[in-house]
Amino acid sequence: MSGYTCNPRYNTPSPDVLRKLELSRLEAENIETREMRCPICGFLVRIIPVTQTDIVFVKCRKCKFDGALSPAYFRRIRNCRGNRMQWEEL
């Protein structure tokens, strides 16, 4: 469980917190994820679970877009040629 690195300015987490971090890491290994990209510039703003459909509040570090996105509306699909990913618009 000592695989976690923390800033030396802060105290070392307690054994209980380290145990919870390890359990969280083990659960997260089995979850499929997908990338959520900025609708303006395409920069990666968050990685979310495939099953998540709740609203996500994001801020793009590149173009400074700040707003709420629904993962249900911003799914990525392959175009007809299958060589490039594009946004699906409803």
Side-chain angles (χ1 to χ4, degrees):
M1 284 196 239
S2 62
Y4 297 101
T5 58
C6 299
N7 191 324
R9 292 188 301 174
Y10 302 105
N11 295 334
T12 305
S14 68
D16 186 46
V17 171
L18 287 174
R19 183 183 62 81
K20 290 176 184 177
L21 285 170
E22 184 64 21
L23 290 173
S24 298
R25 185 188 62 80
L26 291 173
E27 286 181 22
E29 285 179 349
N30 300 327
I31 295 176
E32 281 188 55
T33 60
R34 66 184 178 98
E35 298 176 344
M36 179 173 267
R37 296 192 172 268
C38 175
I40 308 301
C41 67
F43 188 77
L44 177 65
V45 289
R46 182 154 308 169
I47 297 175
I48 60 171
V50 172
T51 58
Q52 181 174 350
T53 57
D54 299 338
I55 300 295
V56 179
F57 294 93
V58 298
K59 179 167 183 176
C60 180
R61 294 183 296 175
K62 187 174 180 183
C63 72
K64 308 302 182 219
F65 167 79
D66 189 12
L69 299 177
S70 173
Y73 296 138
F74 292 94
R75 296 184 189 271
R76 294 174 65 153
I77 61 169
R78 290 194 181 270
N79 66 6
C80 298
R81 295 179 193 98
N83 59 354
R84 191 171 166 220
M85 301 295 278
Q86 293 184 355
W87 290 103
E88 173 185 9
E89 294 187 20
L90 297 176

